[in-house]
C-alpha cells in the first residue's frame, strides 16, 4: 500500500475520533519534503500524525496549545515502521487503531486533564468569554471582524452581550441546516469550552447560547453533549425567557482630539 494512501487512511481514522472530542483539523505544510503532516488542535492539546519518508516511520505525537498555537515541544506517543513495498491495508489499520487508542484511551484522558490543570495554574483562565467567541470563528468566519469591532469599542469585552447579539442566531441557523457530523463537531466545541471555561464562559454557553435555542434545535444538539454539559444545560433551561441582569461596560474614548480641543 503506497505510503501516501496509508497516511491518509490513518489520519482519517484519527480525525474521526478527535472530531468527537471537539478537536479541529488544521491546514499545515511540512517544513521539508521529507514529511507528511496532519495537525489537530483543541484549547489545550495539539496532536500530530507525521510520516517520515527517510525513516519510513508513522509517528503520533502531542504538545500543549498556547494562545499562539502549538508550543512545538512535541512528545512522541507512538512510532510504527511503514515500508510501502511490503505494507498492507491490514498494517495501516493496525497503526490507525493504535493511534486512535493513543488519543482516546485512559492515558489520553489523563493527559488532557493534566495539561488542563497545568494551564489553569500557569495562565489562570485563558478560556474566558473572549476566548470562547474566538473559537466560533472556525464555524462563522465573519465573527473575526465583529470581535475586532467589539474590542475597538468596548472595554472590557462584553462576553454575554456579544454572544447574544452576534453568536446565538448563527448557532441556531447552523443547527437547523447542519448534518449529523456537523452537529457532533459543534457539540464538541461546546463540551470542550464548557469544561475549560471560567464561570462567565460557562454561563454564556448555558444561559445565553443554549437557552436562545428553540426546543427543536436544543434537542438536536443536546444528545451530543457530554454528561456535565447535559446536566448544566438542563438546569439552565429552567431560566429560559427570564430576565438576566445586563452587563455594563466602559465605552472607549473614540476621540482624543475633542478632549484636547476642549482643554
Amino acid at each position: 500500500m503506497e505510503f501516501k494512501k496509508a497516511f491518509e487512511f490513518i489520519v482519517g481514522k484519527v480525525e474521526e475520533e478527535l472530531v468527537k472530542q471537539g478537536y479541529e483539523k488544521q491546514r499545515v505544510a511540512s517544513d521539508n519534503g521529507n514529511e507528511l503532516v496532519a495537525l489537530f488542535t483543541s484549547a489545550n492539546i495539539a496532536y500530530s500524525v507525521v510520516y517520515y519518508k527517510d525513516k519510513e516511520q508513522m509517528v503520533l505525537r502531542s504538545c500543549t496549545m498556547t494562545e499562539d498555537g502549538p508550543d512545538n515541544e512535541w512528545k512522541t506517543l507512538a512510532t510504527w515502521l511503514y515500508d510501502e513495498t511490503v505494507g498492507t491495508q491490514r498494517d495501516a489499520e493496525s497503526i490507525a487503531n493504535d493511534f486512535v487508542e493513543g488519543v482516546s484511551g485512559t492515558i489520553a484522558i489523563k493527559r488532557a486533564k493534566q495539561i488542563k490543570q497545568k494551564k489553569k495554574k500557569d495562565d489562570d483562565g485563558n478560556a474566558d468569554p473572549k476566548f470562547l467567541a474566538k473559537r466560533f470563528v472556525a464555524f462563522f468566519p465573519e465573527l473575526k471582524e465583529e470581535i475586532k469591532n467589539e474590542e475597538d469599542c468596548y472595554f472590557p469585552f462584553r462576553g454575554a452581550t456579544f454572544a447574544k447579539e452576534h453568536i446565538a442566531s448563527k448557532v441556531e441557523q447552523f443547527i437547523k441546516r447542519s448534518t449529523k457530523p456537523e452537529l457532533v463537531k459543534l457539540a464538541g466545541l461546546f463540551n470542550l469550552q464548557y469544561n475549560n471555561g471560567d464561570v462567565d464562559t460557562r454561563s454564556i454557553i448555558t444561559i445565553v447560547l443554549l437557552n436562545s435555542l428553540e426546543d427543536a434545535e436544543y434537542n438536536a444538539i443536546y444528545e451530543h453533549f457530554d454528561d456535565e454539559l447535559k446536566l448544566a444545560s438542563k438546569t439552565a433551561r429552567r431560566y429560559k425567557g427570564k430576565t438576566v441582569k445586563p452587563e455594563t461596560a466602559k465605552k472607549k474614548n473614540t476621540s482624543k482630539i475633542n478632549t484636547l480641543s476642549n482643554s
Side-chain angles (χ1 to χ4, degrees):
M1 187 177 186
E2 200 263 339
F3 72 85
K4 289 185 178 178
K5 291 183 178 180
F7 178 80
E8 291 172 357
F9 174 81
I10 293 165
V11 168
K13 293 297 183 181
V14 172
E15 181 177 6
E16 286 179 12
E17 176 57 38
L18 288 178
V19 164
K20 297 176 186 176
Q21 301 178 39
Y23 285 76
E24 296 180 14
K25 185 179 181 182
Q26 306 296 338
R27 293 183 179 181
V28 293
S30 61
D31 295 333
N32 58 66
N34 183 50
E35 303 173 359
L36 297 179
V37 181
L39 175 66
F40 304 90
T41 62
S42 70
N44 292 330
I45 297 180
Y47 284 108
S48 180
V49 178
V50 186
Y51 181 73
Y52 297 100
K53 300 176 186 177
D54 58 347
K55 300 177 181 178
E56 297 182 328
Q57 289 181 347
M58 292 281 184
V59 177
L60 174 67
R61 59 188 188 174
S62 70
C63 74
T64 302
M65 284 291 290
T66 70
E67 290 186 356
D68 299 320
D71 66 8
N72 289 322
E73 296 181 7
W74 294 101
K75 178 180 179 181
T76 298
L77 305 178
T79 301
W80 286 67
L81 289 174
Y82 187 84
D83 180 353
E84 67 177 356
T85 61
V86 295
T88 64
Q89 175 72 30
R90 181 173 295 181
D91 293 326
E93 289 174 356
S94 295
I95 297 172
N97 290 337
D98 185 57
F99 283 10
V100 168
E101 176 62 24
V103 301
S104 62
T106 303
I107 295 177
I109 295 172
K110 184 177 179 181
R111 181 189 310 123
K113 288 182 177 179
Q114 288 175 338
I115 292 179
K116 176 182 173 181
Q117 290 169 355
K118 181 178 183 297
K119 287 188 70 176
K120 284 192 173 182
K121 181 178 179 181
D122 290 346
D123 52 32
D124 191 21
N126 63 344
D128 59 11
K130 187 192 295 187
F131 186 89
L132 172 68
K134 289 182 177 180
R135 299 289 72 76
F136 281 99
V137 172
F139 289 85
F140 316 115
E142 65 272 19
L143 280 177
K144 186 174 183 179
E145 185 63 28
E146 293 171 0
I147 291 172
K148 183 179 183 301
N149 291 337
E150 176 73 18
E151 292 175 320
D152 288 343
C153 295
Y154 294 95
F155 180 83
F157 188 86
R158 304 175 305 162
T161 300
F162 184 86
K164 181 179 179 180
E165 295 180 353
H166 298 280
I167 301 177
S169 61
K170 292 180 175 65
V171 169
E172 183 174 21
Q173 293 304 313
F174 180 87
I175 294 174
K176 285 181 178 179
R177 66 174 185 270
S178 64
T179 61
K180 183 175 179 179
E182 289 172 331
L183 268 181
V184 170
K185 186 176 181 180
L186 180 63
L189 182 149
F190 276 119
N191 289 330
L192 188 65
Q193 297 308 315
Y194 185 83
N195 290 329
N196 293 338
D198 58 20
V199 174
D200 290 336
T201 297
R202 289 184 166 211
S203 296
I204 289 170
I205 288 173
T206 55
I207 299 295
V208 179
L209 295 178
L210 297 183
N211 274 6
S212 71
L213 300 174
E214 295 301 325
D215 289 343
E217 287 70 45
Y218 172 77
N219 291 332
I221 196 170
Y222 172 85
E223 63 179 294
H224 304 296
F225 290 155
D226 59 25
D227 291 341
E228 186 174 2
L229 185 52
K230 280 183 176 179
L231 178 61
S233 65
K234 285 179 68 174
T235 301
R237 202 73 177 164
R238 302 170 188 168
Y239 298 94
K240 180 175 170 58
K242 295 185 178 180
T243 302
V244 179
K245 184 178 179 181
E247 290 178 300
T248 57
K250 297 178 180 179
K251 195 164 184 178
K252 286 188 176 180
N253 188 347
T254 57
S255 178
K256 291 185 178 180
I257 296 177
N258 287 342
T259 301
L260 292 173
S261 63
N262 293 331
S263 60

